[in-house]
Amino acid sequence: MSLLRLEQVQKAFGGNAVIRGVDLEIGAGEMVCLIGASGSGKSTLLRLMNLLEPVDDGRIWLEGVDISEPGLDPQPIRQRIGIVFQQYNLFPHMTAVENVLLAPRRVRGQSREQARPSAEALFSRFGLADRMEHYPDQLSGGQQQRVAIIRALAMQPQIMLFDEITSALDPELVGEVLDVLRSLRDEGMTMVLATHEMAFAREVADRVCFLDGGRIVEMGPPEQVLGHPREARTRAFLSRVL
Amino acid sequence: MTQTRRQIFEARQRRRASTIAAASTAGVLLALIVLIPMAPGWEAVKRSFFNPEVFARTFPGLLEAFLLDVAIFAWCAPLIAALGLLVALLRDLRSPALYPLRLAAVVYTDIFRGLPVILVIYLIGFGIPGLGLPRPWNSPYLWGSLALILVYAAYVAEVIRSGIESVHDSQRAAALSLGLSQSDTMRYVILPQALRRVVPANMNLFIALQKDVALLSFIGPVEIFRQAGVYKSLLANFTPYVGAALIFLAITIPATRYADHLMNRERRRRT
Ligand SMILES: Nc1ncnc2c1ncn2[C@@H]1O[C@H](COP(=O)(O)OP(=O)(O)OP(=O)(O)O)[C@@H](O)[C@H]1O
Ligand SMILES: [Mg+2]
């Protein structure tokens, strides 16, 4: 059974249909990359998956449970699906480690002492042990983005969503963030990744989905979608970005 | 350290500018000093407003009366902060069951921001004791303070709400995506950032409050403004009012400067 399954998911913003019937299955341990032009709906699709936006129509199943049911409390679902944003969105009034400890403390009800060891382990694992007590504005973009990833991981989610997490970074900082993703992949984390980094998608993705006009136009292994696309629209997109 | 050509140029420009500023200020002051005494009523004004003997005699009493202003300010300020915060949060409620509270908060801020402070002080300060309540419930201190609290909390609530709205929505999204509840998101993520941003604006409100405490004199308490009035009648001289003005300025000017400093720092930080 797939971990997350989308079935004819639709979403409109004030009459503007942004997601027009997306079907997608994500298996445990899989890494799926979403590619597509700006405005094709990648961010919206990710936000629908962890219920930051309510689904208009269609269904989303998490381990066989319909989480798109209108009126369902989204809070427990969001704890199981982490998301990292393009602009990091760290809380600027808290140090890096406080950013990470906030959810374990307030949502899980853990004490600072209980939550701290696993947070520290994550900081060391991603090379930030000496940056824990820094405020976000004292960190580089790459460091901030790694803290944002740690913050999401601290809730031990079953799935991680990444929304163009390297797009706001200076080129020389992209590598350190992609390394984090590689490490998570090796660990078997289930991930959905909206990205413009085609070379990276090709290297790590199990599957690539090409999104256009709110629909998945083409989906398959990276060698096929990125190497030998079948659809004319995919070819046109790739010729523009490569 | 040797200076660059630009630094030398800018230093010369600065010297030139301060020379001109000093000269023109001196000119204006000289004109005032020469011209004002030439006004026909100057001698009379000097006697009744700037009388050194009266000043020396009344200033200690004014200072003492000012302590009452400070005391009223001191017990109003925390209550204003608390009520303002509460009203700001009520206006943010989304649950339909709590709609009456939200509506009440809106009506409250509209009413108290729409009335002159002195009118509220009269209505509450004379109106409620007029009900014939027993001591201490007929005290003008009590009801006058309540009037100030109600008016100023309405302004503080609006300022805090603008601060809440200035926090970018992505902060809320980040907090919710971690599984935080709406109220924890407000309490730990939105509010701390919002309150920090509105410190200068709130400081300006509290400076205004410090001045408006004097309005309570109209319903009874012998604070500095009323004390100055007493001296004026006693000595048939207006100098006590000048003394009171100096005491207010000694507090409000440094406080205003400090608020401006905070405001500038906040603006620099955000750009
Ligand atoms: N909250 C919103 N309200 C209204 N319209 C929105 C909202 N969020 C997204 N949209 C619209 O939905 C469309 C898809 O946006 P989305 O951000 O999902 O695209 P994207 O593929 O992530 O693009 P990009 O590569 O630029 O990030 C756009 O036309 C956008 O204007
Ligand atoms: Mg996007």
Side-chain angles (χ1 to χ4, degrees), chain A residues 47 50 52 75-76 78-79 81-83 85 88-94 99 102-103 106-107 151-152 155, chain B residues 168-182 184 187-193 196-197 269:
Chain A
R47 294 168 65 90
N50 81 338
L52 274 178
Q75 225 189 302
R78 292 188 188 130
Q79 296 167 32
I81 307 179
I83 186 165
F85 306 92
Y88 337 131
N89 299 359
L90 291 180
F91 308 131
H93 59 297
M94 297 180 187
N99 263 275
L102 179 69
R106 299 300 158 202
V107 180
R151 183 174 70 176
M155 288 301 283
Chain B
H168 198 269
D169 223 33
S170 60
Q171 288 285 309
R172 195 184 293 262
L176 291 177
S177 78
L178 291 166
L180 263 73
S181 65
Q182 294 278 356
D184 278 351
R187 176 160 165 208
Y188 297 105
V189 176
I190 310 291
L191 210 49
Q193 298 183 57
R196 223 160 286 198
R197 285 182 199 181
R269 247 187 20 172

Side-chain angles (χ1 to χ4, degrees), chain A residues 37-44 46-47 86 163-164 194 196:
Chain A
S38 181
S40 57
K42 303 182 294 295
S43 300
T44 306
L46 292 178
R47 294 168 65 90
Q86 182 175 348
D163 190 0
E164 294 192 36
H196 285 304

Side-chain angles (χ1 to χ4, degrees), chain B residues 20-67:
Chain B
I20 293 174
S24 77
T25 309
V28 170
L29 281 180
L30 194 70
L32 289 176
I33 291 168
V34 172
L35 290 178
I36 290 180
M38 283 164 72
W42 170 241
E43 278 308 317
V45 167
K46 204 166 80 175
R47 241 177 295 120
S48 53
F49 280 89
F50 302 102
N51 186 321
E53 282 131 55
V54 174
F55 186 86
R57 246 178 83 190
T58 58
F59 196 75
L62 289 174
L63 262 184
E64 210 182 302
F66 187 66
L67 288 182

Side-chain angles (χ1 to χ4, degrees), chain B residues 14-263:
Chain B
R14 265 199 306 276
R15 271 199 305 277
R16 221 175 91 96
S18 23
T19 314
I20 293 174
S24 77
T25 309
V28 170
L29 281 180
L30 194 70
L32 289 176
I33 291 168
V34 172
L35 290 178
I36 290 180
M38 283 164 72
W42 170 241
E43 278 308 317
V45 167
K46 204 166 80 175
R47 241 177 295 120
S48 53
F49 280 89
F50 302 102
N51 186 321
E53 282 131 55
V54 174
F55 186 86
R57 246 178 83 190
T58 58
F59 196 75
L62 289 174
L63 262 184
E64 210 182 302
F66 187 66
L67 288 182
L68 180 56
D69 292 74
V70 174
I72 294 173
F73 176 87
W75 69 61
C76 286
L79 293 172
I80 287 169
L83 181 60
L85 178 60
L86 178 71
V87 171
L89 291 177
L90 289 182
R91 289 197 66 165
D92 231 45
L93 290 176
R94 290 284 163 266
S95 149
L98 301 176
Y99 180 75
L101 283 175
R102 190 172 157 204
L103 183 69
V106 174
V107 171
Y108 162 75
T109 44
D110 281 357
I111 288 181
F112 284 97
R113 288 192 315 148
L115 288 172
V117 187
I118 186 67
L119 197 58
V120 178
I121 291 174
Y122 264 68
L123 288 177
I124 295 180
F126 285 133
I128 296 184
L131 295 174
L133 301 173
R135 276 160 63 86
W137 298 107
N138 57 0
S139 150
Y141 293 95
L142 185 67
W143 300 111
S145 302
L146 179 69
L148 285 178
I149 290 167
L150 288 175
V151 171
Y152 272 89
Y155 284 101
V156 167
E158 281 304 293
V159 165
I160 292 178
R161 212 169 65 99
S162 74
I164 290 173
E165 275 164 15
S166 78
V167 177
H168 198 269
D169 223 33
S170 60
Q171 288 285 309
R172 195 184 293 262
L176 291 177
S177 78
L178 291 166
L180 263 73
S181 65
Q182 294 278 356
S183 59
D184 278 351
T185 299
M186 176 57 79
R187 176 160 165 208
Y188 297 105
V189 176
I190 310 291
L191 210 49
Q193 298 183 57
L195 291 180
R196 223 160 286 198
R197 285 182 199 181
V198 297
V199 163
N202 274 330
M203 269 198 70
N204 281 325
L205 280 178
F206 282 105
I207 292 165
L209 170 68
Q210 175 62 63
K211 294 180 292 175
D212 278 354
V213 168
L215 294 174
L216 291 200
S217 64
F218 288 108
I219 60 167
V222 184
E223 49 70 64
I224 184 168
F225 181 64
R226 189 158 176 125
Q227 183 64 53
V230 171
Y231 285 138
K232 180 212 69 178
S233 312
L234 213 62
L235 306 170
N237 192 291
F238 287 99
T239 306
Y241 285 128
V242 175
L246 289 178
I247 291 173
F248 272 111
L249 290 178
I251 298 287
T252 48
I253 290 183
T256 316
R257 288 277 140 250
Y258 185 60
D260 283 354
H261 163 76
L262 290 181
M263 193 110 63

